[in-house]
Amino acid sequence: MRLAVTLGDPRGIGPEIVARALADPLDADVTLIGAEDQLEAMPAATRLPVGTWGLGPGESSPMAPGPSRAVRAGRITGHAIEAAARLALAGEVDAIVTGPAHKHALQLAGFPYPGHTEWLAELAGGVEVAMMLASDRLRVVLVTTHVALRDVPALLTQDRIVRTGRVTARALRDWFGIPHPRLAVCALNPHAGESGLFGDEEERVLAPAVAALGAFGPLPADTVFVRAMRGEFDAVLAPYHDVGMTAIKVASFGQGVNVTLGLPFPRTAPDHGTAFDIAGQGRADAGSMRKALELAVQLGEKSKGLRTED
């Protein structure tokens, strides 16, 4: 099993949590990708440098203040992501794990993507993808991701929900080994619209999508995640970013994993950001990164088996 791991933004907690998460043996040959000076002391079968950093942790520094520091960090982060994707697409690794990135820094450095999910989809040739947050207690898939809340109702179409559901069901079968996935669709409005009193999206958009998928719902947000945690559903499709993220973080804070579904290779990541405020202090929790590494190994083995069968 071969795994590519990026360190994430060199200013943040990514390098330290990767180092700590890899301190315990992992059943994989690991290729680490990031700034050369941050890779030096880390355990890995292979190290792939994409520049040097040398400016220390945190968002600001007198050595390189303001935008120039962010641009440099964004370039290193972006080049590492692209290198990991190239290795996976070439079949040189079976899965990738990405460290926490800072979206603004990536934008400043010339990588114009709202997040890893959309970026990796383009690098893989424009494939249909979905963003899953997974833990031992709950799996949540976002129908819309990094967009303003005011834009969600227009983006939440029947077609989009169905496409997301199909990507999810296929990944649950192929990567997670669930022969007949049970999907639930979370409502957009309070009380699932209350028969149109609080909005008509449930009847007009979500219900037809549920029928097309053979899923359950639409079910109110205040109950659907609880029911999933009790074992009624294998995954919940959440209509927008924060309702899904809040559910998974309340259920499994520090133990959740971000999984990109639909790619020709598994990609996982920890369920948190760069945490510049505590970078370099030794306080960051590496639990989610360790879970991301372990899940990437499991999914990579499944994916490798599927490629062998083909």
Side-chain angles (χ1 to χ4, degrees):
M1 167 63 199
R2 303 157 302 170
L3 192 63
V5 181
T6 72
L7 302 189
D9 192 303
R11 302 169 295 171
I13 62 173
E16 58 189 277
I17 63 172
V18 169
R20 288 213 302 277
L22 288 173
D24 292 328
L26 192 69
D27 191 18
D29 291 328
V30 176
T31 296
L32 281 179
I33 310 173
E36 184 171 16
D37 46 322
Q38 294 182 326
L39 292 173
E40 291 173 343
M42 294 189 188
T46 308
R47 297 176 187 84
L48 181 59
V50 288
T52 57
W53 177 239
L55 296 178
E59 195 167 9
S60 60
S61 165
M63 293 183 286
S68 63
R69 181 179 174 87
V71 169
R72 186 165 161 187
R75 285 176 182 157
I76 289 172
T77 309
H79 291 151
I81 293 165
E82 292 186 334
R86 284 196 299 270
L87 290 175
L89 290 167
E92 296 180 36
V93 297
D94 302 302
I96 69 174
V97 180
T98 56
H102 192 249
K103 295 177 181 61
H104 183 58
L106 289 168
Q107 296 268 338
L108 290 174
F111 302 104
Y113 302 94
H116 286 87
T117 305
E118 299 84 356
W119 189 358
L120 290 168
E122 182 167 317
L123 291 173
V127 297
E128 192 80 51
V129 296
M131 178 178 174
M132 172 186 279
L133 290 306
S135 75
D136 294 339
R137 304 186 69 198
L138 182 65
R139 299 186 192 93
V140 177
V141 179
L142 306 183
V143 179
T144 64
T145 53
H146 302 107
V147 298
L149 183 59
R150 64 177 175 270
D151 297 330
V152 169
L155 293 171
L156 196 65
T157 63
Q158 179 182 340
D159 177 65
R160 189 177 192 133
I161 297 166
V162 170
R163 286 188 286 114
T164 301
R166 287 175 177 163
V167 169
T168 302
R170 184 167 59 250
L172 289 172
R173 286 192 299 266
D174 293 349
W175 289 357
F176 289 85
I178 301 171
H180 304 290
R182 299 163 300 164
L183 301 182
V185 175
C186 176
L188 174 66
N189 296 301
H191 304 290
E194 195 75 59
S195 300
L197 184 62
F198 305 135
D200 67 350
E201 286 86 358
E202 280 71 25
E203 294 182 5
R204 181 170 51 84
V205 179
L206 275 67
V210 166
L213 288 169
F216 298 87
L219 300 170
D222 58 3
T223 58
V224 66
F225 299 108
V226 175
R227 292 175 63 179
M229 289 169 62
R230 289 175 177 169
E232 289 188 47
F233 315 120
D234 298 304
V236 178
L237 305 187
Y240 61 95
H241 182 277
D242 280 16
V243 71
M245 293 296 289
T246 299
I248 190 69
K249 291 200 175 187
V250 169
S252 305
F253 190 77
Q255 299 294 309
V257 178
N258 186 331
V259 187
T260 303
L261 311 179
L263 294 170
F265 54 86
R267 172 259 172 173
T268 68
D271 69 349
H272 56 73
T274 50
F276 293 135
D277 58 323
I278 61 169
Q281 299 177 25
R283 294 166 48 199
D285 185 349
S288 182
M289 175 56 78
R290 180 66 190 190
K291 290 287 188 182
L293 292 168
E294 292 172 349
L295 184 57
V297 171
Q298 295 171 26
L299 301 184
E301 290 286 1
K302 287 274 190 183
S303 177
K304 184 170 64 172
L306 290 171
R307 291 196 302 272
T308 302
E309 290 173 8
D310 291 343

